[in-house]
Amino acid sequence: MVQWSESERTIINGIFSHLDYDDLGPKAFSRCLIVYPWTQRYFSSFGNLHNAEAIMGNANVAAHGIKVLHGLDLGLKHMDDIMGAYAELSSLHSEKLHVDPDNFKLLSDCITIVVAAKLGKAFTPETQAAFHKFLAVVVSALGKQYH
Ligand code: HEM
């Protein structure tokens, strides 16, 4: 089981209490589609993803970015059982959506970048370490139901 220090819990809860999902969700997800264009293949129903401008102006992309950030709430609410909390979402991404699990890390890196840009100086190395650990555990949990 993953162990969390009190300081890690405080930092992680502190970060999420300040995050504006409606702003950062679209920014993180559109960044992922632009920087790692092969991730676009799962979103053919989302409409125009032809270039960065189209992706950033795409309402389906924005809505999905918000949905993904809300997906992190699961981990936040179940920090002591993150694997269990993501079992269902992991099965969905594996069995139904057939998402290559390597992509989870790419999206989590994009989330880190937009959070770092937002927090500025407050994104200290200690903050980064706690946030990185949280996302790494979520990424691992999302990959858990792959066989
Ligand atoms: C759907 C979370 C990464 C592809 C979803 C949903 C959530 C979610 C909450 C909605 C599930 C539902 O409707 O019941 C996450 C989290 C991720 C992640 C927390 C990592 C931090 C990815 C990545 C890809 C992906 C990297 C592909 C590159 C999809 C697709 C859907 C989906 C295709 C269905 C979209 C639709 O048609 O509405 N994800 N996801 N996810 N996710 Fe992920």
Side-chain angles (χ1 to χ4, degrees):
M1 202 182 91
V2 180
Q3 303 289 332
W4 301 100
S5 68
E6 278 315 308
S7 135
E8 286 171 334
R9 287 178 197 270
T10 306
I11 291 172
I12 292 163
N13 281 299
I15 294 172
F16 279 98
S17 69
H18 289 106
L19 288 192
D20 177 357
Y21 286 13
D22 295 353
D23 175 36
L24 297 186
K27 281 184 183 157
F29 182 48
S30 57
R31 212 171 245 271
C32 183
L33 296 173
I34 294 163
V35 179
Y36 312 110
W38 57 89
T39 59
Q40 294 171 19
R41 70 189 294 265
Y42 305 101
F43 303 99
S44 52
S45 66
F46 278 21
N48 186 354
L49 304 175
H50 290 146
N51 52 41
E53 204 185 334
I55 290 170
M56 288 191 287
N58 183 311
N60 292 321
V61 169
H64 192 69
I66 295 167
K67 201 186 271 185
V68 166
L69 276 204
H70 278 291
L72 296 181
D73 289 342
L74 264 182
L76 197 64
K77 288 199 193 106
H78 302 95
M79 277 186 69
D80 294 314
D81 182 23
I82 291 191
M83 293 298 159
Y86 283 94
E88 211 173 299
L89 259 188
S90 176
S91 299
L92 177 82
H93 284 80
S94 154
E95 287 154 31
K96 186 157 172 245
L97 302 169
H98 306 294
V99 171
D100 180 337
D102 287 353
N103 293 320
F104 298 142
K105 167 129 180 38
L106 303 180
L107 179 56
S108 84
D109 286 347
C110 291
I111 294 171
T112 302
I113 286 163
V114 299
V115 168
K118 186 77 188 179
L119 295 187
K121 280 191 182 149
F123 197 73
T124 62
E126 198 190 13
T127 304
Q128 180 178 348
F131 193 57
H132 171 75
K133 178 172 165 183
F134 175 76
L135 288 181
V137 178
V138 170
V139 164
S140 156
L142 277 170
K144 193 84 179 169
Q145 302 299 321
Y146 283 73
H147 304 292

